[in-house]
Amino acid sequence: MISTDVFNLRRARVATSAIFAAHGAVTGTFAARVPWVADHVGVGPGGLGVALLMPGVGALLAMPVSGRLVHRFDLRHLVRVLMLGWVGALLLPALPTSLWLLCLTLVVYGATAGLADVAMNAHAVLVEERYGRSVMSGFHGWWSVGGLGGSAVAAFAANQGLGAPAHFAITVVVLAAVVLSAAAGIVPHRPEPTLEEPPAFALPSKAVLPIGLIGLCAVFAEGASLDWAAVYVRDLLGHPAATAAATVAIFSVCLAVTRFAGDWVVGKLGPVTTVRIGGALATLGALTVVLLEPIALVIAGFGLLGVGVAVVVPLVFAAAGRSSEHPGRAIAGVAGIAYGSGLVAPGIVGGIAHVSSLTVSFTVIIGLMVMMTLGATVLGR
């Protein structure tokens, strides 16, 4: 017979998985309806590019505050409130009719994303500690599944002629129900009353900075691949748009599948060896993309790159949460470094490609993957 404690822990794991999936579904839903938003506001590629920087700006501004929130409020209540805020924020991008209003709403949208992200990862670290083994990678796998599911439903809605306002409203109702149902299984938790409260606006500490830099390498490669793989295959190698889209899809599927297998791998090999092997695979994948031209090998290279970076971010969050008396602050610091990398990666890749070539841009990813492999030891401290 299963004890109450074991039952509650399993329930918390299921609840956390659902929260991660809901968070990813919001991201995937919005990403797939960006063309509708652009047409609705009437902006071209330049204005849209500026607007799409704003969610990252909002997240980076909000994340340093989240450490104080995680310390001050019960984790179950905080995750529920912040996730409902993030789900509700999906309504915002469909409202503006001008570029400056779109930018403003996307800053708020990104801020709610960042706050909810830190809170749910802080709870995931708590669940992992109580399990006594790695479960973090699976949670991030569910985030990927949520993102794929959200984008697939959005594509279907668009094909059926359903406008973004109605689509977003239906999605918000469904995801809010998922969050409220899942929140009942989240572990109640507050820090010890004697523990000193972190600053209201906390920048990354020296202890988490090396961990964040490992995350930076992985998120840069992930963001650059998601945004530029299709362009690389279509424009540089001259293949059809369908092949380019399939390349991105295969990269995304490799990310999700590897994250689900990641906890088992980490349990067998430990975080340091897992990241070293992942870094070696990612380096091989990036080298394949840069040096070879047969499309099957290039797609396989992107797939290897996805496999290699998939478990790094979950391990980075887990290591950050264990590195400090204030897990929320540590996770916020690492998230700011890693997601900041994801924010600038597409622009850096595009800038290098403009000055030189897209091939040279992906050579930068090779260097980052080597650095990630060599720096993996910080995750074992």
Side-chain angles (χ1 to χ4, degrees), residues 11 17 30 99 125 131 180 206 216 243 259 304 320 323 352 358 369:
R11 185 186 182 199
S17 299
F30 169 69
L99 177 58
V125 169
Y131 259 90
L180 288 173
K206 291 181 180 180
L216 180 151
T243 304
R259 281 172 175 164
L304 269 180
S323 70
I352 295 173
L358 202 51
M369 294 302 92

PDB file of all heavy atoms in Angstrom, residues 11 17 30 99 125 131 180 206 216 243 259 304 320 323 352 358 369:
ATOM      1  N   ARG A  11       1.835  13.057  -6.492  1.00  0.00           N
ATOM      2  CA  ARG A  11       0.837  14.041  -6.903  1.00  0.00           C
ATOM      3  C   ARG A  11       1.502  15.391  -7.206  1.00  0.00           C
ATOM      4  O   ARG A  11       1.155  16.062  -8.178  1.00  0.00           O
ATOM      5  CB  ARG A  11      -0.201  14.193  -5.794  1.00  0.00           C
ATOM      6  CG  ARG A  11      -1.366  15.106  -6.139  1.00  0.00           C
ATOM      7  CD  ARG A  11      -2.242  15.296  -4.918  1.00  0.00           C
ATOM      8  NE  ARG A  11      -3.398  16.120  -5.218  1.00  0.00           N
ATOM      9  CZ  ARG A  11      -4.127  16.739  -4.310  1.00  0.00           C
ATOM     10  NH1 ARG A  11      -3.814  16.628  -3.027  1.00  0.00           N
ATOM     11  NH2 ARG A  11      -5.167  17.473  -4.660  1.00  0.00           N
ATOM     12  N   SER A  17       4.426  18.906 -13.427  1.00  0.00           N
ATOM     13  CA  SER A  17       4.492  18.632 -14.869  1.00  0.00           C
ATOM     14  C   SER A  17       3.393  19.383 -15.609  1.00  0.00           C
ATOM     15  O   SER A  17       3.623  19.964 -16.687  1.00  0.00           O
ATOM     16  CB  SER A  17       4.355  17.124 -15.120  1.00  0.00           C
ATOM     17  OG  SER A  17       5.398  16.401 -14.495  1.00  0.00           O
ATOM     18  N   PHE A  30       1.256  31.817 -28.455  1.00  0.00           N
ATOM     19  CA  PHE A  30       1.578  33.161 -28.930  1.00  0.00           C
ATOM     20  C   PHE A  30       2.518  33.120 -30.128  1.00  0.00           C
ATOM     21  O   PHE A  30       2.323  33.839 -31.117  1.00  0.00           O
ATOM     22  CB  PHE A  30       2.199  33.987 -27.807  1.00  0.00           C
ATOM     23  CG  PHE A  30       2.798  35.286 -28.280  1.00  0.00           C
ATOM     24  CD1 PHE A  30       1.979  36.304 -28.743  1.00  0.00           C
ATOM     25  CD2 PHE A  30       4.173  35.476 -28.303  1.00  0.00           C
ATOM     26  CE1 PHE A  30       2.526  37.508 -29.209  1.00  0.00           C
ATOM     27  CE2 PHE A  30       4.722  36.658 -28.753  1.00  0.00           C
ATOM     28  CZ  PHE A  30       3.893  37.684 -29.215  1.00  0.00           C
ATOM     29  N   LEU A  99       2.250  50.047 -32.716  1.00  0.00           N
ATOM     30  CA  LEU A  99       3.491  49.386 -32.341  1.00  0.00           C
ATOM     31  C   LEU A  99       3.874  49.673 -30.896  1.00  0.00           C
ATOM     32  O   LEU A  99       4.271  48.766 -30.170  1.00  0.00           O
ATOM     33  CB  LEU A  99       4.619  49.826 -33.287  1.00  0.00           C
ATOM     34  CG  LEU A  99       6.010  49.265 -32.975  1.00  0.00           C
ATOM     35  CD1 LEU A  99       5.998  47.742 -32.995  1.00  0.00           C
ATOM     36  CD2 LEU A  99       7.035  49.815 -33.970  1.00  0.00           C
ATOM     37  N   VAL A 125      12.497  22.369  -7.981  1.00  0.00           N
ATOM     38  CA  VAL A 125      13.682  22.047  -7.183  1.00  0.00           C
ATOM     39  C   VAL A 125      13.273  21.407  -5.858  1.00  0.00           C
ATOM     40  O   VAL A 125      13.879  20.435  -5.391  1.00  0.00           O
ATOM     41  CB  VAL A 125      14.527  23.310  -6.931  1.00  0.00           C
ATOM     42  CG1 VAL A 125      15.602  23.056  -5.881  1.00  0.00           C
ATOM     43  CG2 VAL A 125      15.171  23.775  -8.234  1.00  0.00           C
ATOM     44  N   TYR A 131      12.349  13.957  -3.782  1.00  0.00           N
ATOM     45  CA  TYR A 131      12.523  12.673  -4.463  1.00  0.00           C
ATOM     46  C   TYR A 131      13.901  12.084  -4.189  1.00  0.00           C
ATOM     47  O   TYR A 131      14.075  10.872  -4.172  1.00  0.00           O
ATOM     48  CB  TYR A 131      12.336  12.849  -5.973  1.00  0.00           C
ATOM     49  CG  TYR A 131      10.980  12.412  -6.462  1.00  0.00           C
ATOM     50  CD1 TYR A 131       9.925  13.307  -6.512  1.00  0.00           C
ATOM     51  CD2 TYR A 131      10.737  11.099  -6.864  1.00  0.00           C
ATOM     52  CE1 TYR A 131       8.672  12.911  -6.960  1.00  0.00           C
ATOM     53  CE2 TYR A 131       9.496  10.697  -7.310  1.00  0.00           C
ATOM     54  CZ  TYR A 131       8.461  11.610  -7.354  1.00  0.00           C
ATOM     55  OH  TYR A 131       7.229  11.216  -7.779  1.00  0.00           O
ATOM     56  N   LEU A 180      -5.483  25.705 -12.102  1.00  0.00           N
ATOM     57  CA  LEU A 180      -6.221  25.622 -10.834  1.00  0.00           C
ATOM     58  C   LEU A 180      -6.313  24.176 -10.355  1.00  0.00           C
ATOM     59  O   LEU A 180      -6.210  23.898  -9.153  1.00  0.00           O
ATOM     60  CB  LEU A 180      -7.620  26.213 -11.003  1.00  0.00           C
ATOM     61  CG  LEU A 180      -7.676  27.740 -11.152  1.00  0.00           C
ATOM     62  CD1 LEU A 180      -9.085  28.190 -11.492  1.00  0.00           C
ATOM     63  CD2 LEU A 180      -7.195  28.419  -9.874  1.00  0.00           C
ATOM     64  N   LYS A 206      27.900  35.681  -6.996  1.00  0.00           N
ATOM     65  CA  LYS A 206      29.110  35.038  -7.524  1.00  0.00           C
ATOM     66  C   LYS A 206      28.973  33.520  -7.522  1.00  0.00           C
ATOM     67  O   LYS A 206      29.573  32.849  -8.360  1.00  0.00           O
ATOM     68  CB  LYS A 206      30.311  35.457  -6.678  1.00  0.00           C
ATOM     69  CG  LYS A 206      30.692  36.924  -6.836  1.00  0.00           C
ATOM     70  CD  LYS A 206      31.908  37.256  -5.994  1.00  0.00           C
ATOM     71  CE  LYS A 206      32.296  38.726  -6.155  1.00  0.00           C
ATOM     72  NZ  LYS A 206      33.485  39.078  -5.325  1.00  0.00           N
ATOM     73  N   LEU A 216      23.852  29.822 -20.192  1.00  0.00           N
ATOM     74  CA  LEU A 216      23.964  30.768 -21.298  1.00  0.00           C
ATOM     75  C   LEU A 216      24.371  30.056 -22.587  1.00  0.00           C
ATOM     76  O   LEU A 216      23.783  30.282 -23.650  1.00  0.00           O
ATOM     77  CB  LEU A 216      24.978  31.850 -20.939  1.00  0.00           C
ATOM     78  CG  LEU A 216      25.274  32.961 -21.965  1.00  0.00           C
ATOM     79  CD1 LEU A 216      25.672  34.241 -21.241  1.00  0.00           C
ATOM     80  CD2 LEU A 216      26.388  32.563 -22.931  1.00  0.00           C
ATOM     81  N   THR A 243      11.194  21.675 -46.157  1.00  0.00           N
ATOM     82  CA  THR A 243      12.369  21.025 -45.566  1.00  0.00           C
ATOM     83  C   THR A 243      12.927  21.857 -44.428  1.00  0.00           C
ATOM     84  O   THR A 243      13.349  21.329 -43.391  1.00  0.00           O
ATOM     85  CB  THR A 243      13.449  20.815 -46.636  1.00  0.00           C
ATOM     86  OG1 THR A 243      12.909  20.073 -47.721  1.00  0.00           O
ATOM     87  CG2 THR A 243      14.648  20.067 -46.066  1.00  0.00           C
ATOM     88  N   ARG A 259      14.739  15.423 -23.067  1.00  0.00           N
ATOM     89  CA  ARG A 259      14.433  15.893 -21.715  1.00  0.00           C
ATOM     90  C   ARG A 259      13.684  14.835 -20.912  1.00  0.00           C
ATOM     91  O   ARG A 259      13.878  14.710 -19.706  1.00  0.00           O
ATOM     92  CB  ARG A 259      13.650  17.207 -21.781  1.00  0.00           C
ATOM     93  CG  ARG A 259      14.573  18.383 -22.057  1.00  0.00           C
ATOM     94  CD  ARG A 259      13.849  19.686 -22.315  1.00  0.00           C
ATOM     95  NE  ARG A 259      14.833  20.755 -22.458  1.00  0.00           N
ATOM     96  CZ  ARG A 259      14.587  21.941 -22.975  1.00  0.00           C
ATOM     97  NH1 ARG A 259      13.371  22.234 -23.433  1.00  0.00           N
ATOM     98  NH2 ARG A 259      15.541  22.853 -23.061  1.00  0.00           N
ATOM     99  N   LEU A 304      21.230  16.399 -33.373  1.00  0.00           N
ATOM    100  CA  LEU A 304      22.267  16.145 -32.362  1.00  0.00           C
ATOM    101  C   LEU A 304      22.465  17.359 -31.469  1.00  0.00           C
ATOM    102  O   LEU A 304      22.665  17.233 -30.254  1.00  0.00           O
ATOM    103  CB  LEU A 304      23.590  15.801 -33.045  1.00  0.00           C
ATOM    104  CG  LEU A 304      23.886  14.329 -33.328  1.00  0.00           C
ATOM    105  CD1 LEU A 304      25.248  14.200 -34.011  1.00  0.00           C
ATOM    106  CD2 LEU A 304      23.860  13.499 -32.056  1.00  0.00           C
ATOM    107  N   ALA A 320      21.372  25.514  -9.384  1.00  0.00           N
ATOM    108  CA  ALA A 320      21.192  26.839  -8.782  1.00  0.00           C
ATOM    109  C   ALA A 320      20.340  26.752  -7.528  1.00  0.00           C
ATOM    110  O   ALA A 320      20.644  27.384  -6.501  1.00  0.00           O
ATOM    111  CB  ALA A 320      20.550  27.789  -9.792  1.00  0.00           C
ATOM    112  N   SER A 323      22.302  25.646  -4.595  1.00  0.00           N
ATOM    113  CA  SER A 323      23.539  26.367  -4.299  1.00  0.00           C
ATOM    114  C   SER A 323      23.373  27.464  -3.264  1.00  0.00           C
ATOM    115  O   SER A 323      24.351  28.078  -2.863  1.00  0.00           O
ATOM    116  CB  SER A 323      24.090  26.992  -5.589  1.00  0.00           C
ATOM    117  OG  SER A 323      23.245  28.053  -6.015  1.00  0.00           O
ATOM    118  N   ILE A 352      26.244  38.710 -37.134  1.00  0.00           N
ATOM    119  CA  ILE A 352      27.446  38.068 -37.683  1.00  0.00           C
ATOM    120  C   ILE A 352      27.197  37.646 -39.132  1.00  0.00           C
ATOM    121  O   ILE A 352      28.066  37.787 -40.002  1.00  0.00           O
ATOM    122  CB  ILE A 352      27.850  36.854 -36.823  1.00  0.00           C
ATOM    123  CG1 ILE A 352      28.271  37.314 -35.424  1.00  0.00           C
ATOM    124  CG2 ILE A 352      28.985  36.074 -37.478  1.00  0.00           C
ATOM    125  CD1 ILE A 352      28.534  36.178 -34.462  1.00  0.00           C
ATOM    126  N   LEU A 358      26.222  33.186 -42.527  1.00  0.00           N
ATOM    127  CA  LEU A 358      25.500  32.384 -41.547  1.00  0.00           C
ATOM    128  C   LEU A 358      26.345  31.201 -41.084  1.00  0.00           C
ATOM    129  O   LEU A 358      26.219  30.736 -39.942  1.00  0.00           O
ATOM    130  CB  LEU A 358      24.177  31.899 -42.148  1.00  0.00           C
ATOM    131  CG  LEU A 358      23.061  31.489 -41.185  1.00  0.00           C
ATOM    132  CD1 LEU A 358      22.800  32.562 -40.152  1.00  0.00           C
ATOM    133  CD2 LEU A 358      21.793  31.171 -41.964  1.00  0.00           C
ATOM    134  N   MET A 369      29.641  25.464 -27.389  1.00  0.00           N
ATOM    135  CA  MET A 369      29.433  24.078 -26.977  1.00  0.00           C
ATOM    136  C   MET A 369      30.709  23.481 -26.370  1.00  0.00           C
ATOM    137  O   MET A 369      30.659  22.695 -25.425  1.00  0.00           O
ATOM    138  CB  MET A 369      28.967  23.234 -28.168  1.00  0.00           C
ATOM    139  CG  MET A 369      27.594  23.615 -28.713  1.00  0.00           C
ATOM    140  SD  MET A 369      26.257  23.526 -27.478  1.00  0.00           S
ATOM    141  CE  MET A 369      26.206  25.197 -26.822  1.00  0.00           C
TER     142      MET A 369
END
